[in-house]
PDB file of all heavy atoms in Angstrom:
ATOM      1  N   LEU I   4     141.569  63.529  23.047  1.00 98.00           N
ATOM      2  CA  LEU I   4     140.342  62.784  22.822  1.00 98.00           C
ATOM      3  C   LEU I   4     140.000  62.971  21.347  1.00 98.00           C
ATOM      4  O   LEU I   4     140.047  64.084  20.840  1.00 98.00           O
ATOM      5  CB  LEU I   4     139.249  63.372  23.717  1.00 98.00           C
ATOM      6  CG  LEU I   4     137.891  62.701  23.760  1.00 98.00           C
ATOM      7  CD1 LEU I   4     137.993  61.281  24.294  1.00 98.00           C
ATOM      8  CD2 LEU I   4     136.944  63.510  24.659  1.00 98.00           C
ATOM      9  N   GLU I   5     139.676  61.857  20.716  1.00 98.00           N
ATOM     10  CA  GLU I   5     139.523  61.914  19.262  1.00 98.00           C
ATOM     11  C   GLU I   5     138.231  61.258  18.783  1.00 98.00           C
ATOM     12  O   GLU I   5     137.890  60.162  19.230  1.00 98.00           O
ATOM     13  CB  GLU I   5     140.666  61.089  18.665  1.00 98.00           C
ATOM     14  CG  GLU I   5     141.600  61.823  17.761  1.00 98.00           C
ATOM     15  CD  GLU I   5     142.732  60.887  17.343  1.00 98.00           C
ATOM     16  OE1 GLU I   5     143.373  60.279  18.238  1.00 98.00           O
ATOM     17  OE2 GLU I   5     142.944  60.745  16.149  1.00 98.00           O
ATOM     18  N   LEU I   6     137.570  61.929  17.872  1.00 98.00           N
ATOM     19  CA  LEU I   6     136.450  61.314  17.155  1.00 98.00           C
ATOM     20  C   LEU I   6     137.013  60.934  15.796  1.00 98.00           C
ATOM     21  O   LEU I   6     137.613  61.770  15.132  1.00 98.00           O
ATOM     22  CB  LEU I   6     135.317  62.320  16.951  1.00 98.00           C
ATOM     23  CG  LEU I   6     134.571  62.828  18.177  1.00 98.00           C
ATOM     24  CD1 LEU I   6     133.743  64.054  17.816  1.00 98.00           C
ATOM     25  CD2 LEU I   6     133.666  61.733  18.737  1.00 98.00           C
ATOM     26  N   GLN I   7     136.827  59.671  15.435  1.00 98.00           N
ATOM     27  CA  GLN I   7     137.396  59.219  14.158  1.00 98.00           C
ATOM     28  C   GLN I   7     136.275  58.696  13.260  1.00 98.00           C
ATOM     29  O   GLN I   7     135.691  57.650  13.553  1.00 98.00           O
ATOM     30  CB  GLN I   7     138.394  58.102  14.455  1.00 98.00           C
ATOM     31  CG  GLN I   7     139.604  58.099  13.547  1.00 98.00           C
ATOM     32  CD  GLN I   7     140.608  57.065  14.033  1.00 98.00           C
ATOM     33  OE1 GLN I   7     140.287  55.871  14.137  1.00 98.00           O
ATOM     34  NE2 GLN I   7     141.810  57.499  14.357  1.00 98.00           N
ATOM     35  N   GLY I   8     135.944  59.462  12.261  1.00 98.00           N
ATOM     36  CA  GLY I   8     134.911  59.056  11.306  1.00 98.00           C
ATOM     37  C   GLY I   8     133.590  58.695  11.958  1.00 98.00           C
ATOM     38  O   GLY I   8     132.967  57.691  11.613  1.00 98.00           O
ATOM     39  N   VAL I   9     133.172  59.549  12.903  1.00 97.00           N
ATOM     40  CA  VAL I   9     131.976  59.217  13.680  1.00 97.00           C
ATOM     41  C   VAL I   9     130.673  59.649  12.985  1.00 97.00           C
ATOM     42  O   VAL I   9     130.512  60.801  12.591  1.00 97.00           O
ATOM     43  CB  VAL I   9     132.057  59.842  15.093  1.00 97.00           C
ATOM     44  CG1 VAL I   9     130.709  59.795  15.790  1.00 97.00           C
ATOM     45  CG2 VAL I   9     133.119  59.117  15.926  1.00 97.00           C
ATOM     46  N   SER I  10     129.768  58.706  12.850  1.00 97.00           N
ATOM     47  CA  SER I  10     128.402  58.995  12.404  1.00 97.00           C
ATOM     48  C   SER I  10     127.483  58.515  13.514  1.00 97.00           C
ATOM     49  O   SER I  10     127.819  57.580  14.239  1.00 97.00           O
ATOM     50  CB  SER I  10     128.074  58.248  11.109  1.00 97.00           C
ATOM     51  OG  SER I  10     128.980  58.638  10.095  1.00 97.00           O
ATOM     52  N   PHE I  11     126.345  59.185  13.642  1.00 97.00           N
ATOM     53  CA  PHE I  11     125.419  58.782  14.709  1.00 97.00           C
ATOM     54  C   PHE I  11     123.966  58.997  14.316  1.00 97.00           C
ATOM     55  O   PHE I  11     123.591  60.029  13.782  1.00 97.00           O
ATOM     56  CB  PHE I  11     125.703  59.556  15.999  1.00 97.00           C
ATOM     57  CG  PHE I  11     124.848  59.107  17.141  1.00 97.00           C
ATOM     58  CD1 PHE I  11     125.136  57.936  17.825  1.00 97.00           C
ATOM     59  CD2 PHE I  11     123.736  59.843  17.521  1.00 97.00           C
ATOM     60  CE1 PHE I  11     124.330  57.495  18.875  1.00 97.00           C
ATOM     61  CE2 PHE I  11     122.921  59.419  18.578  1.00 97.00           C
ATOM     62  CZ  PHE I  11     123.225  58.242  19.245  1.00 97.00           C
ATOM     63  N   LYS I  12     123.185  57.985  14.626  1.00 96.00           N
ATOM     64  CA  LYS I  12     121.736  58.050  14.419  1.00 96.00           C
ATOM     65  C   LYS I  12     121.103  57.455  15.670  1.00 96.00           C
ATOM     66  O   LYS I  12     121.565  56.430  16.163  1.00 96.00           O
ATOM     67  CB  LYS I  12     121.394  57.195  13.191  1.00 96.00           C
ATOM     68  CG  LYS I  12     119.949  57.175  12.791  1.00 96.00           C
ATOM     69  CD  LYS I  12     119.830  56.351  11.515  1.00 96.00           C
ATOM     70  CE  LYS I  12     118.596  55.529  11.375  1.00 96.00           C
ATOM     71  NZ  LYS I  12     117.906  55.043  12.516  1.00 96.00           N
ATOM     72  N   TYR I  13     120.090  58.118  16.227  1.00 96.00           N
ATOM     73  CA  TYR I  13     119.377  57.544  17.372  1.00 96.00           C
ATOM     74  C   TYR I  13     118.611  56.316  16.901  1.00 96.00           C
ATOM     75  O   TYR I  13     118.107  56.304  15.770  1.00 96.00           O
ATOM     76  CB  TYR I  13     118.394  58.566  17.960  1.00 96.00           C
ATOM     77  CG  TYR I  13     119.060  59.612  18.820  1.00 96.00           C
ATOM     78  CD1 TYR I  13     119.284  60.903  18.340  1.00 96.00           C
ATOM     79  CD2 TYR I  13     119.469  59.310  20.117  1.00 96.00           C
ATOM     80  CE1 TYR I  13     119.897  61.874  19.133  1.00 96.00           C
ATOM     81  CE2 TYR I  13     120.075  60.272  20.909  1.00 96.00           C
ATOM     82  CZ  TYR I  13     120.284  61.546  20.415  1.00 96.00           C
ATOM     83  OH  TYR I  13     120.897  62.496  21.203  1.00 96.00           O
ATOM     84  N   PRO I  14     118.490  55.294  17.767  1.00 92.00           N
ATOM     85  CA  PRO I  14     117.775  54.087  17.360  1.00 92.00           C
ATOM     86  C   PRO I  14     116.384  54.401  16.797  1.00 92.00           C
ATOM     87  O   PRO I  14     115.958  53.790  15.830  1.00 92.00           O
ATOM     88  CB  PRO I  14     117.669  53.272  18.658  1.00 92.00           C
ATOM     89  CG  PRO I  14     118.794  53.758  19.504  1.00 92.00           C
ATOM     90  CD  PRO I  14     119.018  55.198  19.139  1.00 92.00           C
ATOM     91  N   ARG I  15     115.695  55.381  17.403  1.00 93.00           N
ATOM     92  CA  ARG I  15     114.357  55.720  16.922  1.00 93.00           C
ATOM     93  C   ARG I  15     114.355  56.961  16.030  1.00 93.00           C
ATOM     94  O   ARG I  15     113.295  57.455  15.637  1.00 93.00           O
ATOM     95  CB  ARG I  15     113.407  55.928  18.106  1.00 93.00           C
ATOM     96  CG  ARG I  15     112.864  54.608  18.666  1.00 93.00           C
ATOM     97  CD  ARG I  15     112.472  54.687  20.127  1.00 93.00           C
ATOM     98  NE  ARG I  15     111.740  55.876  20.498  1.00 93.00           N
ATOM     99  CZ  ARG I  15     110.422  56.027  20.309  1.00 93.00           C
ATOM    100  NH1 ARG I  15     109.712  55.064  19.773  1.00 93.00           N
ATOM    101  NH2 ARG I  15     109.837  57.139  20.678  1.00 93.00           N
ATOM    102  N   GLY I  16     115.557  57.471  15.737  1.00 92.00           N
ATOM    103  CA  GLY I  16     115.645  58.683  14.915  1.00 92.00           C
ATOM    104  C   GLY I  16     115.581  58.355  13.433  1.00 92.00           C
ATOM    105  O   GLY I  16     115.894  57.230  13.034  1.00 92.00           O
ATOM    106  N   LYS I  17     115.190  59.344  12.657  1.00 91.00           N
ATOM    107  CA  LYS I  17     115.081  59.107  11.209  1.00 91.00           C
ATOM    108  C   LYS I  17     116.372  59.473  10.492  1.00 91.00           C
ATOM    109  O   LYS I  17     116.743  58.875   9.506  1.00 91.00           O
ATOM    110  CB  LYS I  17     113.930  59.947  10.627  1.00 91.00           C
ATOM    111  CG  LYS I  17     112.559  59.419  11.024  1.00 91.00           C
ATOM    112  CD  LYS I  17     111.463  60.040  10.155  1.00 91.00           C
ATOM    113  CE  LYS I  17     110.094  59.628  10.654  1.00 91.00           C
ATOM    114  NZ  LYS I  17     109.784  60.228  11.994  1.00 91.00           N
ATOM    115  N   ARG I  18     117.072  60.508  11.036  1.00 93.00           N
ATOM    116  CA  ARG I  18     118.226  60.987  10.273  1.00 93.00           C
ATOM    117  C   ARG I  18     119.542  60.770  11.027  1.00 93.00           C
ATOM    118  O   ARG I  18     119.559  60.612  12.246  1.00 93.00           O
ATOM    119  CB  ARG I  18     118.049  62.475   9.929  1.00 93.00           C
ATOM    120  CG  ARG I  18     118.038  63.347  11.170  1.00 93.00           C
ATOM    121  CD  ARG I  18     117.843  64.815  10.834  1.00 93.00           C
ATOM    122  NE  ARG I  18     117.792  65.608  12.061  1.00 93.00           N
ATOM    123  CZ  ARG I  18     118.821  66.302  12.529  1.00 93.00           C
ATOM    124  NH1 ARG I  18     119.959  66.331  11.891  1.00 93.00           N
ATOM    125  NH2 ARG I  18     118.697  66.993  13.657  1.00 93.00           N
ATOM    126  N   MET I  19     120.609  60.799  10.272  1.00 94.00           N
ATOM    127  CA  MET I  19     121.949  60.785  10.833  1.00 94.00           C
ATOM    128  C   MET I  19     122.193  62.166  11.453  1.00 94.00           C
ATOM    129  O   MET I  19     122.040  63.178  10.772  1.00 94.00           O
ATOM    130  CB  MET I  19     122.979  60.587   9.712  1.00 94.00           C
ATOM    131  CG  MET I  19     123.135  59.163   9.290  1.00 94.00           C
ATOM    132  SD  MET I  19     123.971  58.242  10.593  1.00 94.00           S
ATOM    133  CE  MET I  19     124.214  56.697   9.774  1.00 94.00           C
ATOM    134  N   ILE I  20     122.545  62.202  12.735  1.00 96.00           N
ATOM    135  CA  ILE I  20     122.828  63.496  13.368  1.00 96.00           C
ATOM    136  C   ILE I  20     124.244  63.944  12.968  1.00 96.00           C
ATOM    137  O   ILE I  20     124.479  65.126  12.765  1.00 96.00           O
ATOM    138  CB  ILE I  20     122.726  63.403  14.906  1.00 96.00           C
ATOM    139  CG1 ILE I  20     121.451  62.681  15.347  1.00 96.00           C
ATOM    140  CG2 ILE I  20     122.840  64.765  15.553  1.00 96.00           C
ATOM    141  CD1 ILE I  20     120.189  63.457  15.308  1.00 96.00           C
ATOM    142  N   PHE I  21     125.162  62.982  12.886  1.00 94.00           N
ATOM    143  CA  PHE I  21     126.525  63.289  12.409  1.00 94.00           C
ATOM    144  C   PHE I  21     126.865  62.416  11.228  1.00 94.00           C
ATOM    145  O   PHE I  21     126.409  61.275  11.144  1.00 94.00           O
ATOM    146  CB  PHE I  21     127.588  62.999  13.474  1.00 94.00           C
ATOM    147  CG  PHE I  21     127.317  63.654  14.750  1.00 94.00           C
ATOM    148  CD1 PHE I  21     127.055  62.909  15.875  1.00 94.00           C
ATOM    149  CD2 PHE I  21     127.291  65.030  14.841  1.00 94.00           C
ATOM    150  CE1 PHE I  21     126.766  63.512  17.067  1.00 94.00           C
ATOM    151  CE2 PHE I  21     126.998  65.641  16.030  1.00 94.00           C
ATOM    152  CZ  PHE I  21     126.743  64.877  17.140  1.00 94.00           C
ATOM    153  N   GLN I  22     127.685  62.961  10.381  1.00 93.00           N
ATOM    154  CA  GLN I  22     128.141  62.227   9.211  1.00 93.00           C
ATOM    155  C   GLN I  22     129.658  62.269   9.199  1.00 93.00           C
ATOM    156  O   GLN I  22     130.240  63.317   8.923  1.00 93.00           O
ATOM    157  CB  GLN I  22     127.635  62.911   7.918  1.00 93.00           C
ATOM    158  CG  GLN I  22     126.128  62.930   7.784  1.00 93.00           C
ATOM    159  CD  GLN I  22     125.589  61.650   7.169  1.00 93.00           C
ATOM    160  OE1 GLN I  22     126.310  60.662   7.039  1.00 93.00           O
ATOM    161  NE2 GLN I  22     124.322  61.658   6.799  1.00 93.00           N
ATOM    162  N   ASN I  23     130.294  61.154   9.513  1.00 95.00           N
ATOM    163  CA  ASN I  23     131.731  61.041   9.332  1.00 95.00           C
ATOM    164  C   ASN I  23     132.530  62.191   9.961  1.00 95.00           C
ATOM    165  O   ASN I  23     133.343  62.819   9.295  1.00 95.00           O
ATOM    166  CB  ASN I  23     131.993  60.963   7.821  1.00 95.00           C
ATOM    167  CG  ASN I  23     133.364  60.395   7.523  1.00 95.00           C
ATOM    168  OD1 ASN I  23     133.933  59.674   8.346  1.00 95.00           O
ATOM    169  ND2 ASN I  23     133.908  60.735   6.370  1.00 95.00           N
TER     170      ASN I  23
END
Side-chain angles (χ1 to χ4, degrees):
L4 185 62
E5 240 176 308
L6 294 166
Q7 216 173 58
V9 167
S10 300
F11 184 78
K12 182 177 145 332
Y13 282 103
R15 279 154 43 82
K17 288 195 186 68
R18 65 181 178 100
M19 279 289 187
I20 313 282
F21 307 115
Q22 297 275 12
N23 199 24

